[in-house]
Amino acid sequence: QEPRYGKSAQRAANFLLERLIEGGRLKHSYKDGRTTTTAFSEDYAFFAAGLIELFELDQQERWLERAIFLMDQLEEHHRAPRGGYYRTPTDGEKLLERELSRRDGAQPNGNSWALRSQLKLSALTSKDLWRKRADGTMRAFASTLERNPRSLDEMMMGIDFYTDAAKQIVLILPEGSK
């Protein structure tokens, strides 16, 4: 409930949106007026989650629109054929094997946070697209979750959200009242 934290988050998000998106693609970092490599899946997932949190804070639609844009970019450039997201984009550096992380470490993997954002977008927009994408992400990690659920503890929090009903409170006020 400290307003300065919300204002700080808004400034940070505006900076990232203005400086780290080039040619419609998110970049990984910014230093001395320049961006570096194309973003990793976790960059998209974490940033989208933060924008969703900002939308929940101040209800400015631009945050939600930008979160949707980032999640669509993640889908377009990082999607693995059997679900989930590769860490690197399809048009990124050619690697022997593209990583599809199946565990959360000190930093959660992008798939865990992508799932959480997909589920929140499903609840906030009522669009089935987000639920379908979330289903695909969960299916991609089902065997890992069955064998060793603690390896994906952040994803388990997403599944907890999935199995619970989203809480919605509607306030109806007389016209002209605040």
Side-chain angles (χ1 to χ4, degrees):
Q1 299 301 316
E2 180 61 50
R4 66 185 170 141
Y5 297 141
K7 299 265 187 249
S8 180
Q10 290 167 336
R11 281 193 309 275
N14 281 323
F15 176 86
L16 294 172
L17 289 168
E18 291 168 10
R19 305 282 171 91
L20 261 75
I21 296 179
E22 291 180 0
R25 300 286 292 278
L26 182 64
K27 297 296 185 171
H28 178 66
S29 63
Y30 177 91
K31 183 179 182 208
D32 299 330
R34 296 187 353 204
T35 60
T36 61
T37 61
T38 303
F40 298 106
S41 60
E42 61 267 22
D43 298 324
Y44 281 97
F46 294 154
F47 192 15
L51 292 172
I52 292 168
E53 294 287 332
L54 278 174
F55 173 73
E56 291 175 335
L57 174 73
D58 65 15
Q59 290 79 52
Q60 290 185 39
E61 284 188 40
R62 67 188 177 120
W63 305 128
L64 189 61
E65 291 166 358
R66 299 314 284 172
I68 289 169
F69 166 78
L70 290 171
M71 292 301 292
D72 284 341
Q73 290 293 306
L74 177 65
E75 184 76 15
E76 181 178 344
H77 299 290
H78 294 263
R79 184 82 176 156
R82 293 191 175 135
Y85 300 94
Y86 290 119
R87 188 163 190 257
T88 56
T90 54
D91 59 352
E93 180 183 355
K94 298 301 177 214
L95 304 170
L96 292 174
E97 183 177 346
R98 290 173 68 204
E99 180 183 1
L100 182 67
S101 180
R102 297 199 172 275
R103 63 182 273 301
D104 288 321
Q107 175 179 306
N109 84 59
N111 287 289
S112 294
W113 279 81
L115 173 64
R116 292 170 72 172
S117 292
Q118 290 162 338
L119 292 169
K120 280 195 169 187
L121 287 172
S122 175
L124 291 168
T125 67
S126 300
K127 291 190 176 175
D128 195 43
L129 165 75
W130 299 110
R131 181 63 78 161
K132 287 179 181 177
R133 287 184 183 176
D135 289 342
T137 302
M138 287 185 288
R139 272 195 306 279
F141 294 90
S143 63
T144 303
L145 289 164
E146 286 175 11
R147 281 186 322 236
N148 188 7
R150 284 191 229 159
S151 68
L152 287 166
D153 53 347
E154 292 288 331
M155 190 171 285
M156 292 297 293
M157 292 193 319
I159 291 170
D160 180 57
F161 184 87
Y162 178 83
T163 59
D164 197 5
K167 311 303 187 276
Q168 183 173 1
I169 300 171
V170 178
L171 301 175
I172 301 173
L173 302 172
E175 191 171 323
S177 64
K178 293 184 179 180

